Amino acid sequence: MESFDLKRFAHLGDAVYEVFVRENTVFKVKSQNLMHKMTTNFVCATFQAKMAELIYDIFLNDEEKEIYRRARNLNLTINKKNNPAIHRHATAFEVIVGYLYLNNKPRLRELFDVVKENLV
């Protein structure tokens, strides 16, 4: 798997993850402002990095861990205001989401069950 593929997985994973978060916040609150705030709290590099570290330890199998490690080390352009370590873990999380979306949707649902427990 080339880094080009990993970047594609990250791009797709970003969109899939955001839809997942929106689906899980839209019915929890009535205020559109609060919906937006909840969504942005969960679709941010800091939260994604936290989820990445959690799933790495308790969820990912050996093949997925290898994809994660390679994704974490991708050559990326990172905004100066962002913490590079956090951004790398968040990107690796998005790669895993994109990879599972294309290759194993039942496994992606299991991953989202783990994440859902942390959407508080």
Side-chain angles (χ1 to χ4, degrees), residues 8-23:
R8 287 177 184 258
F9 289 145
H11 184 74
L12 182 60
D14 178 52
V16 170
Y17 178 69
E18 183 159 349
V19 169
F20 161 76
V21 170
R22 286 177 182 240
E23 284 179 350

Side-chain angles (χ1 to χ4, degrees), residues 46-112:
T46 304
F47 185 78
Q48 288 177 331
K50 177 182 166 190
M51 290 299 96
E53 291 177 17
L54 175 71
I55 66 163
Y56 188 86
D57 291 335
I58 67 165
F59 181 79
L60 299 183
N61 62 35
D62 290 341
E63 177 188 3
E64 294 160 351
K65 284 181 179 181
E66 179 61 25
I67 293 168
Y68 179 96
R69 283 191 291 270
R70 291 182 50 228
R72 187 186 59 210
N73 294 321
L74 280 172
N75 184 15
L76 302 169
T77 304
I78 300 172
N79 188 319
K80 289 181 183 180
K81 69 178 182 166
N82 293 330
N83 179 322
I86 289 173
H87 191 74
R88 289 184 180 286
H89 285 282
T91 299
F93 177 77
E94 291 172 347
V95 167
I96 293 296
V97 170
Y99 173 79
L100 292 176
Y101 178 78
L102 290 176
N103 296 294
N104 192 341
K105 287 189 177 66
R107 181 85 170 139
L108 177 63
R109 283 189 287 280
E110 293 172 7
L111 170 71
F112 282 163

